[in-house]
Amino acid sequence: MARISDVAECANVSSMTVSRVLRGDPMVSVEAREKVLSAVQKLNYVPNESARRLKQFQRKKMALNRTGNLGCVVFASYKYSDPYFSKVLEGIDEEVIRAHRHLAYVYTESQLTARPELLVNKINPEQVDGLLAVGIAAATMIQTLKRRVQTIITVDGTLDESLDSIEVEKIEAAYNAVRYLAGLGHRRIGFIGDYPGAEARYVGYAAAMRDLGLQENPRWMYWERCDWYVEHGYAFMQRILARGQPLPTAVFAASDSLAIGAMRAIAENHLNVPDDISVIGYNDIDEARYSVPPLTTMRVRKQEMGKLAVRRLLERIENPGMPPLKTMLHAELVERASCRRIV
């Protein structure tokens, strides 16, 4: 495990400077701060202060003197402006208020990476009784959080067998989406999504294609690492259309944002949704109701997920000895106007 002296040597600064950066001292120069933060990230340095605080509070049995605060870390580029995670956060906020608790902070992963002093000063039992980890996080980050806070619930993302989790049956949702398209007569069904974030949805897509006797065609698929933005769905669909005939008659998009972008690409190529290509999404974000045409999708109960996560976290705080529980939510089909029956 890296020590503060290792960070100082890597950054070519003194150990005192490293300590000042981790404390958030505003008097440290920008250049020195950037060197230290780069070294912290490179060495995966875990400040001893965090471990010291954790041991102190364990010795004092802080479980009997709780703060009433909960924390949240969102593993996405944005939090309140993200059409999916913002709804999960709404549910979290509502349930925290209902339970007469306080949500002390909502950080993104990028904020923690840019300011590692937050891990020391904010993510510890002195500040919060438990933590909600929302979205897909690297295993190393989850381990880092576990070293700082005893009680963590993962929400729609990272699976850790030692932690409670609230998840969506993504494989089932994708399977049902493809089965719905096949029920409308579609045989040439494509897929677009993020890699590896949409892996479970691809597994469901592939399983349905196989069980229905339909053939996957790489020409009708585009699966690449992305941020789930509308522009990525647009670019992915443009690449599928550029491959030429035969085109898919339907596409399952791993998120509504990707689906909305795909529909724009289809329209710009003088094709019609759903007359030429049907499109079905996943999530049921607000924009899905107002797209042109309104998007058929698999609805995820995002706010309910957030509420359940808070309830589970509070139960875990009260009963730390319970075995980890995994709760799976089912997505439901919402039919609108972006899919049609074909002969």
Side-chain angles (χ1 to χ4, degrees):
M1 181 179 293
R3 299 168 299 177
I4 197 167
S5 58
D6 298 322
V7 175
E9 182 179 353
C10 182
N12 196 27
V13 298
S14 68
S15 296
M16 180 62 72
T17 299
V18 174
S19 297
R20 290 172 61 199
V21 170
L22 294 179
R23 290 198 306 268
D25 188 336
M27 300 305 292
V28 179
S29 70
V30 174
E31 181 182 5
R33 173 185 167 83
E34 290 179 351
K35 286 182 178 180
V36 170
L37 294 182
S38 177
V40 165
Q41 187 173 9
K42 180 179 179 181
L43 299 175
N44 194 26
Y45 172 67
V46 179
N48 290 333
E49 176 69 10
S50 177
R52 184 186 69 79
R53 285 183 176 178
L54 182 57
K55 290 178 182 178
Q56 284 181 340
F57 280 91
Q58 286 174 337
R59 286 196 297 266
K60 294 178 182 178
K61 297 184 179 180
M62 282 300 293
L64 301 177
N65 185 25
R66 301 189 181 109
T67 67
N69 297 333
L70 305 178
C72 182
V73 177
V74 180
F75 295 93
S77 299
Y78 303 99
K79 39 188 176 180
Y80 298 114
S81 61
D82 183 282
Y84 182 80
F85 288 115
S86 63
K87 293 298 181 182
V88 177
L89 291 174
E90 279 185 22
I92 289 173
D93 207 37
E94 289 176 16
E95 190 62 23
V96 168
I97 293 172
R98 191 201 66 79
H100 303 290
R101 298 299 198 277
H102 175 241
L103 189 61
Y105 51 73
V106 179
Y107 294 135
T108 62
E109 183 178 20
S110 60
Q111 287 175 312
L112 296 182
T113 301
R115 298 182 58 194
E117 68 270 16
L118 293 175
L119 290 169
V120 177
N121 298 328
K122 297 297 183 181
I123 302 182
N124 63 62
E126 186 178 8
Q127 299 294 324
V128 295
D129 301 324
L131 193 70
L132 298 147
V134 182
I136 300 174
T140 54
M141 175 57 78
I142 291 296
Q143 293 304 314
T144 297
L145 296 178
K146 286 166 66 175
R147 286 195 292 268
R148 289 162 169 74
V149 178
Q150 182 179 0
T151 309
I152 300 175
I153 305 295
T154 64
V155 187
D156 195 27
T158 306
L159 294 180
D160 184 311
E161 296 300 325
S162 69
L163 300 176
D164 295 282
S165 63
I166 310 294
E167 301 294 327
V168 181
E169 286 277 13
K170 297 182 179 72
I171 294 176
E172 176 190 75
Y175 189 101
N176 289 339
V178 174
R179 187 172 64 177
Y180 169 74
L181 293 172
L184 294 177
H186 295 280
R187 296 295 178 266
R188 303 201 305 267
I189 302 173
F191 173 86
I192 60 173
D194 167 72
Y195 178 85
E199 184 172 3
R201 274 157 278 190
Y202 170 73
V203 169
Y205 161 84
M209 295 289 282
R210 181 180 62 251
D211 291 350
L212 294 167
L214 305 178
Q215 186 174 1
E216 289 184 57
N217 188 329
R219 292 171 58 86
W220 307 332
M221 301 170 60
Y222 204 89
W223 195 19
E224 183 180 277
R225 188 171 188 84
C226 70
D227 291 319
W228 302 94
Y229 298 153
V230 171
E231 54 262 38
H232 294 117
Y234 174 87
F236 292 178
M237 195 67 219
Q238 287 284 16
R239 290 167 185 171
I240 290 175
L241 296 173
R243 292 167 181 164
Q245 297 292 341
L247 294 173
T249 62
V251 170
F252 168 54
S255 78
D256 287 350
S257 294
L258 295 179
I260 291 169
M263 291 197 295
R264 176 62 181 268
I266 291 168
E268 286 192 3
N269 281 269
H270 308 292
L271 298 171
N272 180 270
V273 177
D275 292 343
D276 297 304
I277 301 177
S278 292
V279 178
I280 186 170
Y282 171 94
N283 285 340
D284 194 29
I285 61 176
D286 290 343
E287 291 84 346
R289 289 176 291 168
Y290 305 109
S291 62
V292 181
L295 180 65
T296 294
T297 187
M298 301 301 296
R299 174 180 291 161
V300 175
R301 291 180 290 152
K302 300 170 283 296
Q303 288 169 288
E304 182 65 18
M305 193 186 316
K307 292 177 182 179
L308 285 174
V310 173
R311 292 174 200 156
R312 178 61 51 78
L313 182 59
L314 295 176
E315 289 174 4
R316 173 62 60 188
I317 291 169
E318 295 296 329
N319 303 281
M322 292 192 308
L325 297 174
K326 181 179 180 180
T327 300
M328 302 298 292
L329 302 180
H330 300 280
E332 59 190 58
L333 175 69
V334 178
E335 292 186 88
R336 295 194 179 101
S338 63
C339 298
R340 79 173 183 97
R341 181 176 297 278
I342 64 174
V343 177

